[in-house]
Amino acid sequence: MVGKKSGKALLREEGLERTDNNMNLTSWPQVSMINQKNYYTEYLKRDDQILVLRLQNEENRNQMTKAAKDRDRALAQSSRNDLPLPDADVDMDGEEGQDEAATGKEPLGSKVIVIHPGSQNLRIGLASDALPRTSPMVVARKWRNNESEEEGAEPRPKRVRLEDDEQLDREQLFGEEFAGQFAAMSSQLKKSMRDNKRRLLPNSKELVINYNRRTVPEKISEHNDPLRVDWTEVPPKAKDAPDFFAGHAALRIPDDSKPRYKLFWPLRHGTYNEDDYATKTLLYEDIAVVIEEAIKTQLGLRRKKEWAQYSCVFVIPDLYERTYVTRSLEMLLREFGFARVCFIQESLAATFGSGYSTSCIVDVGAQKTSVCCVEEGMCLENSRINVKYGGADVTETFIKMMLFDYFPYADINLRRRYDFLLAEELKQKFCTMNEADISVQLYDFHVRASGQDTRKYTFKTYDEVILAPMGYFQPSIFNNETKLRGRRKLIERSYDLYDGAPNDPISAAQITMYQAIGMPLDAAAEVANGGSQATTAPRQQPVNLLSRLNENLDNTPRSSVAGSPAPESGTPQPGAGVASPAANAPPGTVPASQAHPNESKILAAQQRDAVLPVYPLDAAILTSITAAAASPSGGLDERKTRDFLGGIMVIGGGASLIPGFHAQLEERVRAQRPAFGKEVMVGSPPRELDPMVVVWKGASVFGKLQGNNDSWVGQMEYDRLGGRCLAYKCMWAW
């Protein structure tokens, strides 16, 4: 009798038995589930996993290897020649290389170019140079009309338009508001001089006006003028004329040249000049043209192939715009081809140049003034302040005041190139802030224009020479009408890649200043608190890039976290990206269902852009020091306050060269802080260093340091990471 077969035997006979041939069912890798209770990852947690830090470690390792090989070679040669052994205590951190570079053929820093661009001047030079070369930050391009013939040919300073055969009194020349402010400042000056027991003539103004009204110019032929100007020669044929001039040559082009040239200043008020340009491509090109021509003419580096051997230190403002920094990095590495680039802030460079470790830096430039407190080699972020006035505003106000008192050269127009240079010369020669020098004074000047005889004028001044620079403490006297014109016309602000919020730096001191000059308190509080949601949600869901990308792909309307009704249309919510659609929307209330997660931050940034930061200089300094000395508990650190008040240093060419400015500023700061009256001290850079070049000098010192290799951005790093590498390279929070 045959036994019953098992099921396995039957399957084997029928060929259905399952056998294991050691082959997987699929070639797709199978990932086991992560133990949620205990898992760990090392991703981006070690230095060797980050390209920037890995390259730094490799460079340090290569330096140590080279130093060890040099020492072994020196030991071998000394034993072969019976020479004494070299010192065993050899520094492996690069100091030996520094000494070799200093004693070799090339001086230390001879391969480092230091660039400090400004609104009016560009300072450039090698780090090994004692002083920089200065070139105007301007480009003259072929144009239909020059700058004085455009915009209805209205002169600057702008006068009240006259009808035919109409005569205006001097009080109406610049409007009633300017006349009232000028009269009020004059009366305040008289009161101050009386309090200081200074002698006043009762009819000083009348003496000045009567003399200036009847004076006539004296003509001097060009061949008899020993100081005649060498004008830039322009070929008569348009096809032979160059497309542009840059620097000093641009300012010396005759206004009536054929073909016409128009001046373009790519930087205005410390940022991009978007008002005078139609495209941002031309704006970027002009900045590159000015720097490139300066390198070729001032430094003698004619061939771009040589530039790959040089490094570059680029000076940026304390309160910078991220777009400006990233675009400058791209220009220096891509267009100029420098081997490596690093950035340094202006206030930090000033402390490097002056040798101070703790100071309150007041940088008064041509069109921008910045205040920042520096402590132990770091700019205190919350103390940074940027206001939009400078030496150019003093120049224009001084000319307005002189015209108000019947200046004999009544046709002066700062849009003309020779008049602009003349006005700057008059300000530098005659403006003062010493009350002891205020009296009726007789001066003269020469007007030199291309193709015309030199004209010699004599004129008298009284209080105009001190009231014009007094505008630093009463900035409403300046002409602030066009300073915000064209803002954000070409270049959008920077936005965070992940959450779409504006990420340009802002400081607590700047927010306090905005509140003082009239910015809405809710917007200022929004910036101070880091922003809140436009919707009143009880709990905000975490924002991540994957979910927001899915929202863009999904065409189904979604309701907000606050339970608001869904939008009628089927469009998704604003998505992520560098630029946000809400940036171009007018300020106002946004429906909760359509609100961007960072809509309130975007609206706060729009409101900041709409407010002109103009604030008295003494109040700005105290606001910066208060923010820098703030303690975590909410009070003020008295020691820090005393240190910063006793270390106020004024730099830049806008005010530091005006006689008596430091004493006047010190007196005003003492009046507002009488408790610290003995500690307040306003000074200038030590060792008789020119205040206009102290920032460049500090940047050159920084470029020669061997220990700052962590700040250099190389070509390979930029090729792989782009502007993201600045997060690891900057000495401040990027």
Side-chain angles (χ1 to χ4, degrees):
M1 179 177 176
V2 180
K4 185 179 180 179
K5 294 184 177 180
S6 65
K8 290 185 178 180
L10 293 174
L11 292 175
R12 189 183 309 112
E13 291 177 358
E14 296 175 0
L16 298 177
E17 182 185 12
R18 182 176 181 180
T19 59
D20 187 7
N21 56 2
N22 294 327
M23 295 182 64
N24 296 327
L25 297 177
T26 176
S27 61
W28 189 266
Q30 298 181 8
V31 181
S32 59
M33 297 296 295
I34 296 177
N35 183 4
Q36 296 292 333
K37 294 182 179 180
N38 183 17
Y39 70 94
Y40 179 74
T41 178
E42 293 184 348
Y43 179 64
L44 293 183
K45 288 188 176 181
R46 298 199 308 264
D47 288 352
D48 56 358
Q49 294 175 336
I50 301 175
L51 175 65
V52 175
L53 302 180
R54 185 166 65 249
L55 292 177
Q56 293 176 6
N57 295 334
E58 291 177 359
E59 182 180 354
N60 294 334
R61 194 180 304 113
N62 293 336
Q63 290 181 358
M64 295 180 63
T65 303
K66 180 179 180 300
K69 290 181 179 179
D70 293 343
R71 173 164 175 77
D72 293 342
R73 189 181 302 109
L75 288 173
Q77 292 178 356
S78 60
S79 60
R80 187 183 306 113
N81 299 329
D82 296 333
L83 296 176
L85 295 177
D87 188 8
D89 298 331
V90 178
D91 189 3
M92 297 294 184
D93 293 335
E95 297 297 332
E96 183 182 10
Q98 178 178 351
D99 297 337
E100 291 177 359
T103 57
K105 296 181 180 180
E106 295 183 351
L108 184 63
S110 60
K111 292 295 184 179
V112 179
I113 298 176
V114 182
I115 302 175
H116 180 204
S119 300
Q120 187 165 310
N121 291 313
L122 169 71
R123 292 182 173 86
I124 188 171
L126 299 176
S128 57
D129 295 339
L131 294 174
R133 282 82 166 175
T134 301
S135 176
M137 192 73 181
V138 63
V139 176
R141 290 189 175 274
K142 283 183 182 179
W143 215 254
R144 296 179 300 274
N145 300 312
N146 59 37
E147 60 276 8
S148 63
E149 298 172 348
E150 290 191 341
E151 296 187 13
E154 289 188 355
R156 186 168 65 92
K158 186 177 180 181
R159 286 84 154 174
V160 175
R161 189 180 295 273
L162 300 177
E163 300 294 338
D164 294 338
D165 299 333
E166 182 182 359
Q167 295 291 333
L168 281 182
D169 193 20
R170 66 188 184 95
E171 285 79 6
Q172 302 174 350
L173 187 60
F174 300 105
E176 297 179 357
E177 182 179 359
F178 176 81
Q181 290 183 348
F182 189 18
M185 293 178 68
S186 298
S187 61
Q188 292 175 4
L189 177 63
K190 290 181 180 179
K191 182 178 180 302
S192 175
M193 294 179 68
R194 289 194 186 97
D195 294 341
N196 294 330
K197 309 298 182 183
R198 301 194 185 279
R199 183 181 177 184
L200 294 175
L201 294 178
N203 60 341
S204 300
K205 277 285 186 182
E206 289 75 10
L207 291 175
V208 171
I209 293 174
N210 292 334
Y211 182 87
N212 290 342
R213 293 182 69 173
R214 66 173 185 268
T215 184
V216 293
E218 174 188 354
K219 290 187 177 182
I220 303 174
S221 57
E222 186 176 0
H223 64 274
N224 289 329
D225 185 7
L227 301 177
R228 58 182 177 269
V229 178
D230 294 331
W231 301 97
T232 302
E233 296 183 2
V234 179
K237 295 183 180 180
K239 62 178 182 180
D240 297 335
D243 293 333
F244 64 86
F245 290 92
H248 293 286
L251 289 179
R252 290 304 184 184
I253 298 177
D255 289 76
D256 56 351
S257 64
K258 295 181 181 180
R260 289 286 196 271
Y261 283 84
K262 180 183 177 182
L263 297 185
F264 288 91
W265 303 83
L267 296 180
R268 296 273 86 178
H269 309 292
T271 185
Y272 288 126
N273 179 17
E274 302 175 60
D275 184 35
D276 293 343
Y277 288 86
T279 62
K280 62 181 179 182
T281 303
L282 185 59
L283 172 60
Y284 294 153
E285 182 182 349
D286 279 359
I287 296 177
V289 163
V290 175
I291 298 177
E292 181 178 346
E293 291 297 317
I295 294 176
K296 291 180 179 179
T297 58
Q298 304 289 341
L299 303 184
L301 302 176
R302 296 285 181 178
R303 296 185 300 173
K304 272 195 172 183
K305 293 182 180 179
E306 302 176 358
W307 297 4
Q309 307 172 8
Y310 288 81
S311 304
C312 178
V313 179
F314 197 83
V315 183
I316 62 173
D318 303 322
L319 266 181
Y320 55 87
E321 294 183 356
R322 292 167 70 101
T323 306
Y324 174 74
V325 180
T326 54
R327 170 58 196 167
S328 300
L329 179 62
E330 179 183 1
M331 174 187 67
L332 297 172
L333 289 177
R334 286 281 185 269
E335 300 179 21
F336 294 167
F338 290 129
R340 53 183 186 170
V341 176
C342 72
F343 294 97
I344 185 173
Q345 293 171 295
E346 289 177 339
S347 297
L348 181 59
T351 57
F352 271 80
S354 59
Y356 293 159
S357 61
T358 301
S359 179
C360 178
I361 304 298
V362 182
D363 187 358
V364 184
Q367 298 180 356
K368 178 262 304 177
T369 298
S370 62
V371 184
C372 182
C373 294
V374 181
E375 184 180 24
E376 301 299 336
M378 289 296 293
C379 293
L380 301 182
E381 296 181 356
N382 283 331
S383 68
R384 297 175 293 181
I385 282 184
N386 190 307
V387 289
K388 304 301 183 184
Y389 56 73
D393 296 280
V394 175
T395 302
E396 183 176 354
T397 304
F398 177 61
I399 297 301
K400 287 175 70 174
M401 291 181 175
M402 292 304 304
L403 290 172
F404 192 86
D405 290 342
Y406 294 98
F407 189 54
Y409 182 31
D411 295 334
I412 188 171
N413 181 6
L414 299 187
R415 295 188 185 277
R416 291 197 291 255
R417 296 150 200 169
Y418 59 89
D419 282 348
F420 169 77
L421 298 174
L422 172 64
E424 288 289 334
E425 180 184 355
L426 294 179
K427 180 195 71 172
Q428 295 174 6
K429 283 185 176 180
F430 306 134
C431 280
T432 181
M433 296 194 78
N434 290 324
E435 291 185 357
D437 299 335
I438 303 305
S439 62
V440 179
Q441 299 285 346
L442 178 64
Y443 299 111
D444 62 72
F445 65 93
H446 297 77
V447 177
R448 297 178 175 90
S450 176
Q452 303 177 17
D453 291 337
T454 301
R455 288 167 289 172
K456 179 181 178 181
Y457 287 89
T458 58
F459 69 104
K460 286 187 176 182
T461 64
Y462 179 52
D463 57 356
E464 304 88 357
V465 294
I466 191 174
L467 293 183
M470 280 290 184
Y472 286 120
F473 311 112
Q474 191 173 340
S476 59
I477 195 69
F478 295 148
N479 180 21
N480 301 318
E481 296 178 357
T482 61
K483 292 182 179 180
L484 287 179
R485 193 171 64 187
R487 181 71 168 154
R488 303 299 181 192
K489 184 181 73 172
L490 302 176
I491 303 171
E492 188 56 84
R493 67 175 62 88
S494 176
Y495 291 93
D496 189 84
L497 180 63
Y498 295 98
D499 61 6
N503 57 0
D504 283 332
I506 189 69
S507 67
Q510 190 82 357
I511 296 167
T512 304
M513 185 191 68
Y514 276 126
Q515 292 178 350
I517 61 181
M519 183 177 177
L521 295 179
D522 54 348
E526 186 68 43
V527 181
N529 297 330
S532 61
Q533 298 301 323
T535 58
T536 57
R539 180 180 180 184
Q540 173 62 33
Q541 299 295 330
V543 179
N544 59 75
L545 187 60
L546 181 59
S547 64
R548 297 183 62 187
L549 291 175
N550 291 335
E551 289 181 10
N552 286 337
L553 296 175
D554 187 6
N555 202 33
T556 305
R558 301 176 183 270
S559 60
S560 68
V561 290
S564 302
E568 297 178 359
S569 61
T571 56
Q573 293 180 343
V578 178
S580 171
N584 298 324
T589 305
V590 181
S593 59
Q594 300 179 2
H596 190 275
N598 293 285
E599 184 68 26
S600 55
K601 294 183 180 179
I602 297 173
L603 293 178
Q606 290 177 349
Q607 292 180 352
R608 289 201 310 273
D609 288 343
V611 177
L612 180 65
V614 171
Y615 202 49
L617 183 57
D618 52 342
I621 294 173
L622 293 176
T623 303
S624 175
I625 293 177
T626 302
S631 62
S633 60
L636 285 180
D637 190 332
E638 187 174 345
R639 182 189 62 82
K640 287 186 178 181
T641 304
R642 295 180 184 276
D643 291 344
F644 290 134
L645 287 175
I648 301 175
M649 183 172 66
V650 181
I651 61 175
S656 57
L657 302 181
I658 299 177
F661 177 80
H662 298 76
Q664 189 70 234
L665 178 60
E666 186 174 316
E667 179 182 350
R668 288 178 176 269
V669 174
R670 276 205 188 101
Q672 296 195 36
R673 290 292 185 273
F676 300 95
K678 295 183 180 179
E679 285 80 11
V680 175
M681 183 177 297
V682 178
S684 56
R687 302 183 298 275
E688 298 182 357
L689 189 62
D690 188 354
M692 293 188 292
V693 303
V694 65
V695 173
W696 182 92
K697 190 65 178 177
S700 67
V701 172
F702 179 75
K704 290 185 288 187
L705 293 178
Q706 293 295 317
N708 74 324
N709 55 357
D710 296 349
S711 302
W712 293 107
V713 179
Q715 290 281 357
M716 186 179 68
E717 298 167 278
Y718 188 77
D719 291 341
R720 297 186 181 182
L721 298 178
R724 291 176 295 169
C725 61
L726 292 174
Y728 302 98
K729 292 296 186 177
C730 295
M731 295 188 297
W732 61 92
W734 171 251

